Amino acid sequence: AKENGKGQLVKYDPELDRDRLRVAELEKELRDALASGEVQPAFQPLVSATTGRITGVEALARWRSKNGPVSPEVFIPLAEKSGLIDALGAAILKASLLEARAWPGINLSVNVSPIQLCNPDFAPFVISTLNEAGFYPRRLTLEITEGVLMSNPDQARRAMDALKAIGVGFALDDFGCGYASIGALRQFGFDRMKVDRSLVWALEEGQGEGILNATIALATALGIPVTAEGVENPYQAGVLTRAGCDLLQGYLIGKPVSADEITRALVEKAAA
Ligand code: C2E
Ligand code: CA
Ligand code: CA
Ligand code: CA
């Protein structure tokens, strides 16, 4: 036990020290993994709700460390805290543009951390990366969460405007699980809204369907198309389609897979 400064004794907790040590180790491993190209994108299909055709893919970062796969829910926040998110985001953007340019007519969505968007170098970096990859900017959509719109609206707006000017699209991610307002959709000129999976999963409960229908109706009234993520069963797909959602994404349609598997799926579809 040691004193906590208020004259009270605090029990020494070896658990806490172990956690800190583990986090420090993981951070070093992530740094090395980024340097050696061990963090790579997987791709999850987005399909048209009405035709079922693949219209796009979302790149999702994957890290297979030597101790096994680490979840993005763990390494993304770690990268954000330790200053590695710019390098991670750059690696995922580059790698996914190089894969996606082989998929004709397919839109690529890439997640952007609020920290990246607030870096003044971000927009110029995206523009030069698109040029180097020879990727048509209109085929790229950046997914961002609302937090940054509140914490740093001016910088977010500057970066978004610079990229929108060359045709890059923006989707407001995780809509419905935080405080993002319909107003923000309009103010910042989003091209698309992504309904959070928690809203989709609440469909089969109490007022879930009413909330979802109202959310989709509001976006639609503003002329903003809606993607639903986390679609796991045909019931959810049916309700979402009837509500006017135009793109569906989720395990029902396909899990995140390697670039090769996306290529195979596209070839099979084309042959069918
Ligand atoms: P997100 O952007 O909301 O991505 C959707 C998450 O839902 C992904 O988790 C995806 O694998 C998962 N998912 C999709 N469909 C289903 C479904 O039907 N059922 C279930 N149970 N899950 C589904 P993942 O890959 O673990 O990524 C978690 C979060 O990590 C992402 O949430 C995103 O916020 C972040 N992330 C992932 N890759 C990147 C990246 O390259 N950059 C940044 N900044 N963040 C990333
Ligand atoms: Ca996303
Ligand atoms: Ca999301
Ligand atoms: Ca999320």
Side-chain angles (χ1 to χ4, degrees):
K2 58 181 177 187
E3 254 208 288
N4 70 355
K6 291 182 206 146
Q8 296 159 315
L9 287 178
V10 185
K11 232 174 96 194
Y12 169 69
D13 184 355
E15 223 18 81
L16 222 65
D17 272 1
R18 258 202 302 277
D19 285 355
R20 274 194 210 109
L21 200 66
R22 181 69 195 125
V23 169
E25 265 169 33
L26 205 62
E27 182 184 320
K28 187 188 171 300
E29 280 174 37
L30 180 59
R31 200 177 295 276
D32 294 345
L34 284 167
S36 62
E38 250 180 71
V39 180
Q40 289 292 330
F43 300 91
Q44 187 176 32
L46 278 73
V47 300
S48 156
T50 49
T51 69
R53 290 179 78 96
I54 301 180
T55 64
V57 293
E58 177 179 1
L60 291 157
R62 292 292 177 263
W63 175 23
R64 233 175 290 277
S65 88
K66 58 181 186 298
N67 300 314
V70 184
S71 164
E73 313 271 11
V74 173
F75 70 79
I76 295 291
L78 177 65
E80 288 175 335
K81 268 183 256 150
S82 53
L84 295 170
I85 193 67
D86 290 310
L88 188 152
I92 294 298
L93 180 70
K94 278 188 190 165
S96 51
L97 286 175
L98 293 180
E99 299 290 358
R101 67 180 177 181
W103 302 326
I106 296 294
N107 185 81
L108 171 69
S109 296
V110 176
N111 293 286
V112 172
S113 158
I115 296 171
Q116 290 175 271
L117 197 71
C118 291
N119 183 338
D121 296 331
F122 178 70
F125 166 76
V126 173
I127 294 169
S128 64
T129 307
L130 281 164
N131 282 334
E132 279 159 31
F135 197 90
Y136 193 46
R138 285 196 189 282
R139 280 175 56 203
L140 177 66
T141 299
L142 299 178
E143 299 194 357
I144 65 178
T145 50
E146 30 124 5
V148 62
L149 308 178
M150 319 254 249
S151 63
N152 200 342
D154 297 336
Q155 186 53 42
R157 168 136 242 154
R158 263 194 295 276
M160 285 177 71
D161 285 348
L163 290 165
K164 279 153 65 72
I166 64 159
V168 173
F170 281 88
L172 185 54
D173 205 353
D174 297 351
F175 193 93
C177 76
Y179 303 95
S181 65
I182 289 284
L185 272 174
R186 250 220 317 222
Q187 252 175 293
F188 288 85
F190 280 93
D191 307 277
R192 177 165 287 280
M193 172 180 116
K194 289 192 85 169
V195 174
D196 194 61
R197 47 191 172 157
S198 61
L199 248 67
V200 174
W201 295 343
L203 250 187
E204 281 124 301
E205 299 159 15
Q207 297 172 322
E209 186 165 345
I211 294 170
L212 197 76
N213 281 332
T215 306
I216 296 169
L218 271 166
T220 307
L222 292 172
I224 295 168
V226 179
T227 301
E229 62 178 24
V231 182
E232 294 189 340
N233 62 54
Y235 174 76
Q236 294 165 344
V239 174
L240 289 159
T241 305
R242 278 192 298 281
C245 232
D246 83 323
L247 297 181
L248 304 179
Q249 178 183 8
Y251 292 175
L252 174 69
I253 296 118
K255 291 194 172 184
V257 293
S258 69
D260 286 348
E261 282 172 80
I262 294 289
T263 303
R264 221 169 297 142
L266 291 172
V267 169
E268 276 164 25
K269 281 261 154 119

